[in-house]
Amino acid sequence: MLRKKKTDPAEIDVAQLAADTDTGGRSPGPVVAKLILLVTLAWSLFQLWIASPLPFSLGIGVFNDTQSRAVHLGFAVFLAFMAYPAFSGSPRHKVPVLDWVFALVGAFCATYLFFFYRELATRPGQPSDLDLGVAIVGIAMLLEATRRALGLPMVVVAAVFLAYTFSGPYMPDLIAHKGASLSRAMSHYWLTTEGVFGVALGVSSGFIFLFVLFGSLLDKAGAGNYFIKSAFALLGHMRGGPAKAAVVSSAATGIISGSSIANVVTTGTFTIPLMKRVGYRGDQAGAVEVSSSVNGQIMPPVMGAAAFLMVEYVGIPYVEVMKHAFLPAVISYIALFYIVHLEALKAGLQGLPRRTTSTFGQRMLSLGLTVSGFVVLAGLVYWGIGWLKAVLGDGAIVVVGVGVLGAYLTLLWVGSRQPELELDDPNAPVFELPETAPTLKSGLHYLLSVVVLIWCLMVEQMSPALSAFWATMFMVFVILTQRPLIAMLRGRGDYAAAFGLGWKDLIAGLEAGGRNMIGIGVATAAAGIIVGTVSLTGIGLVMTEVIEILSGGNLMLMLILVAVISLILGMGLPTTANYIVVSTLMAPVVVELGAQSGLLVPLIAVHLFVFYFGLMADVTPPVGLASFAAAAISRADPIKTGVTAFFYSMRTAILPFLFIFNTQLLLIGISGPLHLALTVGSALVAMLVFAAATQGYFLVKSRWWETIALLLVTFTLFRPGFWWDMVYPPYDERPASELMTLVEKAPAGERKRVWVEGINLDGKEVRKGVLLPLGDAGPARERLRRIGVTVMALGDEVQVAAVQFGSTAEKLGLEQGFRITAIEMPSDRPAKEWMYVPALLLLGVVILLQRARLKREPAPRPATA
């Protein structure tokens, strides 16, 4: 395809590159185009139907998980062959006969479990010849669809795992296994929920599609334009303003986008030329956009759809995933914002001119009133609806619905009083920033849909699928009504034409949602081959042994090896497939080897660790597609752009090493508001100081020893326990016989560190630590039962009597027959946060020295565009 053939950015068509990567680069004739449109609409409507309460209310169209996954994959495979040409030289204006055949055969194989579900249920483990034929052809069609939609990397990884399944007896002793017959392997991969139709495809069908569809509708409604213009209105006048606006607008777009390259193309076509205009080099402008867009994948609530997979793999609620991922994502974006500010300072760059001038005090007053208004409004909404629910019970939903409708109409009225938003040409000779207040007011009704989504998730505590359904239905209402209502409020008339445009926007949004899901659908299915291989061959244990041998038992070396392997495995893979692969192969390695070394961390920290490094492949040359897209816009060398982007992304790369040792950065173990403020404040300061150290510039250009001092401050603020543990032992050991007493006395939400030993199912002697999440308060046996473990006392020893299948205890590596040998309790010692004092004093010394030089050294001369 185009992305594989061309490397000269001057020759690359950016729009075509985005289409090739995200939605398919084929533009067939009108008849076939209408067929593709109808299929994408049918897919979107099918997903909305199964997510809605209607099937169960009406008693019709009820599908179980396996059936809905099969239909979901059928749509994805059919559209992959119809939308993506086979090769770069294949026809783009028609669908060849062979592609029709592949599309129909692939769709049939994918939906085989739907059509023959009852028959397959009568012969588990005994596939017929037809079953095996469908499985073999289905896997071949899936891999070809994956190659077209995602390129070769995903196919190569899946093919290697398939080959490993059959060649196990011929492998070296370290990685050998007994192998599997063709019948067993194909049945495992295609006819059960252990392989292709497993958890990953279920998450794609049940959660991801709806959030991608919600984002597509929000974008077609005009929210993407609104986010970009608002960012420029707020920040464009600052030093290096376009780069700062790119960071903020990409963060906002990342909330509704599941694709790094789509984010680059959406915001970069506007931001990159303006960054170059104020003085950034082409590779710097592209790198800022790449770093911002890739960071959108770590930004809750969607996180490139990986958040929904984490719910299944880690076994915690979706709201908890968002909470844990929030602080690292925010401080990473703030650090990137600071990096572009330092680049502007070093080069003496300026911002873009405002249309109107105002004093600093006036701007601060306006900002303060706006923020305080939002805070007051949020408080009134939260407490007001809470009061209504307490008074009216189930009837409150009607009042709340009327209130949301009233808020929508009010915000539309406010927006209609402002000038219409149009993206200006960034290459025009004269470019002026939009005015701040009118720009912000013009699209506030878009934020209401996000409020509905978050309200359903966090206040009503609906499932992610149902929350996304109601938010999506609200967006459907917005798209259909906003144009006619604005026409009425502005006195234009011609409501039928306005409604017609809204209807076209809705169709375009539904189509975009389906097209954006093609790659994700086939990616999650193909990743199921890797997951199936792990469960069929036990390669997960092999990976643990290999890394244990290579690291020699050194904890830090083990983490570095896992990070590098995650980076390699993630090259060329979309976010969802990336996370499935690295979490399946690498997360158990960190859990197992870390536990043997005393590194006991919650599963979410481990999964975020491998996820972050898998994502870095989107930036890293030579595969980083986001860097190629940005380089095509900035007319810079893509490899240089990727290298610069990786340098800017170092702040993201150090975060996993820090929160794996200091889980307070994931808001775990926070004891109160003061502790929360201290944790957030220290993390922000540490990340800003790290950015200054890596840029070699703070208040002025840093000297070598000042850079070392800044790095020392960073490390201490991020991980104060490293130094404190040298003075005060962090834990006191208690005998296993006290387990039940300690578990019962533990406060709600506490995690208990226990050491276990025994012989596992593979006959290997095991001694490791386990971090047991105890959940809500209650009797000890009940708290242990909730995480899936039953224990019994044998004199002074405590033995694991049973471990529930699929439970948290099983995921932590507990097995029946293990003995609990000790419990570790936090020792009574001064708070480790006292280490912040010398760190801040050292930072103060650096600031004083640089301030003295700042008065003596001349300021950098402004760069010319």
Side-chain angles (χ1 to χ4, degrees), residues 85-101:
F87 304 102
S88 59
S90 299
R92 296 177 180 276
H93 301 294
K94 68 174 184 177
V95 180
V97 174
L98 186 60
D99 284 5
W100 279 100
V101 174

Side-chain angles (χ1 to χ4, degrees), residues 692-705:
T694 55
Q695 290 295 301
Y697 195 99
F698 193 18
L699 303 179
V700 293
K701 186 177 180 180
S702 298
R703 292 171 178 164
W704 67 267
W705 60 268

Side-chain angles (χ1 to χ4, degrees), residues 38-376:
L38 289 174
V39 174
T40 54
L41 292 179
W43 193 9
S44 294
L45 294 174
F46 168 77
Q47 296 291 160
L48 285 171
W49 174 261
I50 63 174
S52 74
L54 291 176
F56 297 98
S57 301
L58 301 177
I60 57 173
V62 179
F63 301 96
N64 63 34
D65 287 344
T66 304
Q67 291 172 319
S68 61
R69 292 173 191 180
V71 174
H72 179 82
L73 182 59
F75 276 116
V77 171
F78 180 84
L79 288 170
F81 285 112
M82 298 297 287
Y84 289 87
F87 304 102
S88 59
S90 299
R92 296 177 180 276
H93 301 294
K94 68 174 184 177
V95 180
V97 174
L98 186 60
D99 284 5
W100 279 100
V101 174
F102 282 175
L104 294 171
V105 170
F108 170 75
C109 293
T111 54
Y112 187 75
L113 269 70
F114 172 77
F115 289 115
F116 298 97
Y117 181 76
R118 293 182 183 276
E119 290 82 350
L120 290 168
T122 63
R123 51 176 189 269
Q126 297 177 327
S128 66
D129 291 342
L130 178 61
D131 296 343
L132 291 179
V134 167
I136 294 170
V137 174
I139 285 181
M141 292 295 99
L142 173 60
L143 292 178
E144 171 59 13
T146 304
R147 183 191 69 81
R148 294 185 183 209
L150 308 175
L152 274 176
M154 186 72 201
V155 178
V156 170
V157 173
V160 167
F161 278 81
L162 277 173
Y164 179 74
T165 299
F166 296 111
S167 59
Y170 313 105
M171 291 287 176
D173 289 343
L174 181 62
I175 60 173
H177 63 94
K178 65 180 181 180
S181 66
L182 181 65
S183 173
R184 185 184 175 210
M186 292 300 105
S187 177
H188 186 81
Y189 286 128
W190 202 261
L191 304 177
T192 71
T193 55
E194 294 292 322
V196 169
F197 297 93
V199 170
L201 189 63
V203 173
S204 177
S205 172
F207 302 146
I208 297 175
F209 192 106
L210 293 168
F211 278 83
V212 170
L213 181 59
F214 173 72
S216 298
L217 292 172
L218 195 57
D219 184 55
K220 294 298 179 183
N225 182 11
Y226 172 69
F227 289 153
I228 295 172
K229 292 287 267 187
S230 297
F232 270 86
L234 286 167
L235 306 168
H237 65 286
M238 297 180 176
R239 280 184 177 271
K244 294 173 181 176
V247 173
V248 174
S249 60
S250 292
T253 306
I255 293 174
I256 62 175
S257 171
S259 166
S260 300
I261 191 168
N263 200 332
V264 168
V265 173
T266 301
T267 59
T269 50
F270 188 72
T271 60
I272 289 174
L274 291 176
M275 281 189 264
K276 293 178 68 177
R277 171 173 292 192
V278 298
Y280 286 94
R281 298 192 315 265
D283 64 295
Q284 288 179 322
V288 168
E289 186 57 52
V290 169
S291 301
S292 306
S293 299
V294 171
N295 261 33
Q297 308 301 288
I298 65 174
M299 192 72 180
V302 178
M303 297 170 62
F308 313 112
L309 291 162
M310 288 182 190
V311 170
E312 298 295 325
Y313 288 168
V314 180
I316 62 176
Y318 175 68
V319 173
E320 288 292 306
V321 173
M322 287 197 297
K323 183 186 82 171
H324 297 319
F326 178 73
L327 181 58
V330 169
I331 63 175
S332 185
Y333 261 115
I334 290 174
L336 181 59
F337 189 93
Y338 186 51
I339 285 172
V340 300
H341 175 70
L342 292 176
E343 290 283 15
L345 282 177
K346 287 192 288 185
L349 306 183
Q350 301 299 318
L352 295 168
R354 284 182 175 274
R355 292 183 183 177
T356 57
T357 58
S358 58
T359 66
F360 177 78
Q362 289 172 327
R363 292 198 296 270
M364 287 297 100
L365 178 61
S366 176
L367 178 63
L369 290 174
T370 302
V371 172
S372 60
F374 274 118
V375 171
V376 171

Side-chain angles (χ1 to χ4, degrees), residues 35 53 75 106 111 163 255 285 415 495 514 626 655 682 700 766 771 781:
L35 173 65
F75 276 116
T111 54
I255 293 174
Y495 306 128
L655 274 173
S682 63
V700 293
V766 172
L771 197 63
R781 294 194 181 278

Side-chain angles (χ1 to χ4, degrees), residues 48 210-211 213-224 256 408 445-453 467-482 502 505-506 509-510:
L48 285 171
L210 293 168
F211 278 83
L213 181 59
F214 173 72
S216 298
L217 292 172
L218 195 57
D219 184 55
K220 294 298 179 183
I256 62 175
Y408 171 62
H445 62 285
Y446 296 128
L447 302 181
L448 197 59
S449 59
V450 180
V451 171
V452 169
L453 173 63
S467 299
F469 169 77
W470 288 118
T472 302
M473 295 311 297
F474 182 77
M475 272 312 306
V476 170
F477 171 75
V478 169
I479 286 182
L480 291 177
T481 60
Q482 66 172 348
D505 288 340
L506 174 60
L510 293 172

Side-chain angles (χ1 to χ4, degrees), residues 4 76 92 116 305 323 359 509 518 523 552 556 661 755 776 859 862:
K4 300 171 188 172
R92 296 177 180 276
F116 298 97
K323 183 186 82 171
T359 66
I518 298 172
M556 187 55 67
F661 288 104
W755 283 87
D776 296 333

